Amino acid sequence: MRSKWFIMILLSCLAMGTIDAKAQDYRRKHESREQRMLRLSDEKFAILYNKVKSTSFDDRKMDLIEVASLGAFYSCEQCALIMGVFSFGDKQLAALRLMAPRIVDPHRAYLIYEKLTFQSEKDEAARIIGGCGMRKY
């Protein structure tokens, strides 16, 4: 009985991974050329994400994000992933403040809002993203 459940769970995880891969392929094909050119590549973002995640202290994590943001642009998806490294909303919003001026697809901000727990945090995130205005790259 246990092995059947294990196999069912394993197959569902594999199926979800396949769906996710298809969704990522679709997104990549339909992104504008400008967005692909400006944002961090998946490989470079993975390096940044792993460095931020493996850093012990939140202050050091913020330092890494701040330095990376000097020359990098982010998609909302990448921004939301970095925010997910932090446990508390105030730190997530602090990370967003560093990355928001460098977001290339603010129309997908819902991905960022989904990472936040409280409505007040979501409102603040909307103010942060909206406050960046129309940016020229």
Side-chain angles (χ1 to χ4, degrees):
M1 181 72 177
R2 254 191 180 159
S3 63
K4 288 182 183 178
W5 279 105
F6 176 74
I7 291 172
M8 289 176 57
I9 291 172
L10 180 63
L11 289 175
S12 357
C13 290
L14 290 173
M16 288 188 327
T18 303
I19 293 168
D20 188 51
K22 288 180 183 177
Q24 287 179 0
D25 288 341
Y26 179 84
R27 177 183 50 84
R28 284 188 190 108
K29 288 177 186 173
H30 292 88
E31 274 181 334
S32 72
R33 183 174 184 270
E34 182 181 83
Q35 288 175 347
R36 281 194 305 271
M37 296 291 289
L38 289 176
R39 72 172 175 82
L40 278 176
S41 68
D42 292 339
E43 296 80 24
K44 289 179 181 177
F45 177 74
I47 293 168
L48 173 64
Y49 177 80
N50 289 330
K51 286 186 185 247
V52 170
K53 189 173 181 177
S54 65
T55 301
S56 300
F57 299 106
D58 285 348
D59 292 340
R60 299 281 186 205
K61 291 177 183 183
M62 292 296 176
D63 290 342
L64 283 172
I65 295 168
E66 186 174 14
V67 170
S69 296
L70 293 174
F73 289 90
Y74 306 98
S75 68
C76 282
E77 183 179 11
Q78 291 172 336
C79 189
L81 286 171
I82 292 284
M83 289 172 60
V85 170
F86 298 97
S87 301
F88 299 104
D90 61 332
K91 295 295 183 182
Q92 291 174 334
L93 291 171
L96 177 60
R97 281 187 190 90
L98 295 172
M99 295 182 288
R102 312 294 281 180
I103 292 176
V104 297
D105 58 348
H107 61 279
R108 297 181 70 215
Y110 63 90
L111 296 169
I112 293 170
Y113 305 145
E114 289 173 352
K115 285 289 181 186
L116 299 166
T117 307
F118 301 107
Q119 187 60 44
S120 60
E121 294 171 347
K122 293 177 185 189
D123 294 341
E124 181 64 20
R127 279 192 285 281
I128 292 168
I129 294 168
C132 294
M134 297 301 289
R135 297 169 298 276
K136 294 183 180 179
Y137 299 111

